[in-house]
Amino acid sequence: MITKDSIAEAYSFFHQKWNLYQLIDKEPVKDHIEYTISSYAEAMNAELYEKIGEGKSEFLHDHSTFPQDLSNAVDRLEKLL
């Protein structure tokens, strides 16, 4: 079951990290943000993860698609609020 609280929590966390990710030029910092988001995604509400990931198995876990995934996650969560 997806609750409004789980949506709001994920949105706040992802939105904050996305804003920071876009401003940072240092790769080690970006890598840390990616790790943090990936860890959060593993522990978050599974239904919500599936919904925002639209079935993509590596959503928020693939370095090569991470920026687009995080941007999509923020947009999709915002629409669910």
Side-chain angles (χ1 to χ4, degrees):
M1 184 170 125
I2 300 172
T3 65
K4 282 289 187 187
D5 287 343
S6 66
I7 295 168
E9 178 184 300
Y11 174 78
S12 294
F13 186 71
F14 289 166
H15 185 263
Q16 176 193 37
K17 297 301 184 199
W18 176 233
N19 286 338
L20 181 61
Y21 189 89
Q22 293 176 90
L23 297 173
I24 299 297
D25 290 332
K26 297 181 179 183
E27 284 305 311
V29 176
K30 285 188 169 194
D31 289 344
H32 182 70
I33 292 170
E34 288 183 31
Y35 173 79
T36 302
I37 292 292
S38 179
S39 296
Y40 182 91
E42 289 177 14
M44 73 184 286
N45 179 299
E47 273 185 77
L48 181 57
Y49 175 79
E50 180 70 25
K51 186 170 186 77
I52 65 171
E54 296 181 338
K56 183 179 171 191
S57 64
E58 290 298 312
F59 189 70
L60 297 170
H61 297 291
D62 183 345
H63 178 74
S64 66
T65 60
F66 181 81
Q68 186 63 42
D69 287 351
L70 186 52
S71 175
N72 287 338
V74 170
D75 290 343
R76 292 169 187 158
L77 287 163
E78 187 172 19
K79 289 176 183 167
L80 294 173
L81 286 176

